[in-house]
Amino acid sequence: ETGVTQTPRHLVMGMTNKKSLKCEQHLGHNAMYWYKQSAKKPLELMFVYNFKEQTENNSVPSRFSPECPNSSHLFLHLHTLQPEDSALYLCASSQDGRETQYFGPGTRLLVL
Amino acid sequence: QQQVKQSPQSLIVQKGGISIINCAYENTAFDYFPWYQQFPGKGPALLIAIRPDVSEKKEGRFTISFNKSAKQFSLHIMDSQPGDSATYFCAASEDSSYKLIFGSGTRLLVRP
């Protein structure tokens, strides 16, 4: 699991705040993913980046803005979130779309 | 069409018993079926995966059974141990896609 790191591990923010989640993978992979994990719901894929290019945006509201400056780093910029956005946000990486996805430990987000 | 249905939602098994988790899918284009294991405070980790060219795959105490005609696959944990207590997710994806579709998860508790 140390192959994919996420910071911060916990975040509390108000609805008017702007914050960013960071993900870094040390596995030499070319694809990176953001997932949302809510209680009693399946993991929801939010965004996919392949070689820094966004290949998937799973109808995510614009208050979530991803950024992938290189194949090792992925950010999720958050602004004007809603309480229902409170969840565990997981980052993952893989060598390509058909290979195993390796997940980070997640950022537990609480929106007040 | 994209959904993966997982059952049961929770499962309690005595130490040494067999744990069985089932998943069903509709999309016949799915051709990769992984199972992920998630411990509290951690991200999901790949446990075992199967492709439709085989009906069964075994790795240690973990076995995937795959029924292509019924569009179902299941995870069997033999000789279940308290350390197996975790949440298990099935998933599926298509050859050409980076998109993993996850089931809703099964919380397994193995009693000593």
Side-chain angles (χ1 to χ4, degrees):
Chain A
E1 189 179 304
T2 55
V4 180
T5 58
Q6 290 187 243
T7 55
R9 293 294 308 274
H10 302 272
L11 179 62
V12 180
M13 60 186 290
M15 289 190 285
T16 58
N17 291 160
K18 290 185 179 180
K19 297 286 185 184
S20 295
L21 309 185
K22 179 183 177 181
C23 175
E24 184 173 0
Q25 60 98 357
H26 311 273
L27 301 169
H29 292 163
N30 54 269
M32 297 188 77
Y33 311 76
W34 279 117
Y35 286 88
K36 177 183 179 181
Q37 186 174 30
S38 305
K40 299 183 180 179
K41 291 179 69 176
L43 276 80
E44 301 172 60
L45 179 66
M46 300 175 72
F47 301 103
V48 180
Y49 278 83
N50 183 31
F51 288 107
K52 303 188 300 177
E53 298 297 322
Q54 188 179 123
T55 59
E56 184 88 29
N57 177 336
N58 209 24
S59 302
V60 180
S62 60
R63 57 186 184 268
F64 295 91
S65 175
E67 178 189 0
C68 189
N70 55 61
S71 294
S72 299
H73 294 85
L74 185 64
F75 295 89
L76 188 62
H77 303 299
L78 316 171
H79 62 97
T80 59
L81 293 192
Q82 304 298 310
E84 59 264 30
D85 296 323
S86 299
L88 181 68
Y89 288 86
L90 290 160
C91 173
S93 71
S94 69
Q95 183 54 38
D96 63 39
R98 284 183 61 78
E99 296 298 322
T100 302
Q101 292 187 21
Y102 292 83
F103 285 82
T107 295
R108 177 70 63 183
L109 174 66
L110 177 62
V111 181
L112 300 176
Chain B
Q1 188 88 8
Q2 290 292 315
Q3 203 173 11
V4 175
K5 295 182 180 179
Q6 183 172 347
S7 63
Q9 191 173 22
S10 61
L11 180 63
I12 300 175
V13 173
Q14 288 297 126
K15 178 182 176 182
I18 302 174
S19 303
I20 301 174
I21 305 170
N22 300 298
C23 283
Y25 63 97
E26 291 295 324
N27 187 348
T28 54
F30 286 154
D31 69 343
Y32 175 63
F33 303 90
W35 284 90
Y36 280 80
Q37 180 188 55
Q38 185 176 25
F39 293 104
K42 306 281 189 180
L46 180 70
L47 188 62
I48 186 172
I50 197 168
R51 298 192 189 275
D53 52 342
V54 295
S55 60
E56 186 175 283
K57 183 174 181 179
K58 184 176 181 179
E59 289 184 2
R61 297 185 293 109
F62 300 91
T63 299
I64 298 179
S65 297
F66 184 78
N67 186 329
K68 189 174 182 178
S69 60
K71 292 183 285 186
Q72 295 176 348
F73 58 110
S74 60
L75 176 70
H76 296 236
I77 306 174
M78 311 300 288
D79 186 26
S80 299
Q81 300 297 311
D84 297 330
S85 298
T87 300
Y88 293 81
F89 295 92
C90 63
S93 70
E94 297 180 38
D95 184 21
S96 59
S97 171
Y98 285 72
K99 192 171 181 176
L100 266 180
I101 308 298
F102 282 86
S104 54
T106 297
R107 183 171 291 184
L108 171 66
L109 176 63
V110 181
R111 294 197 187 280

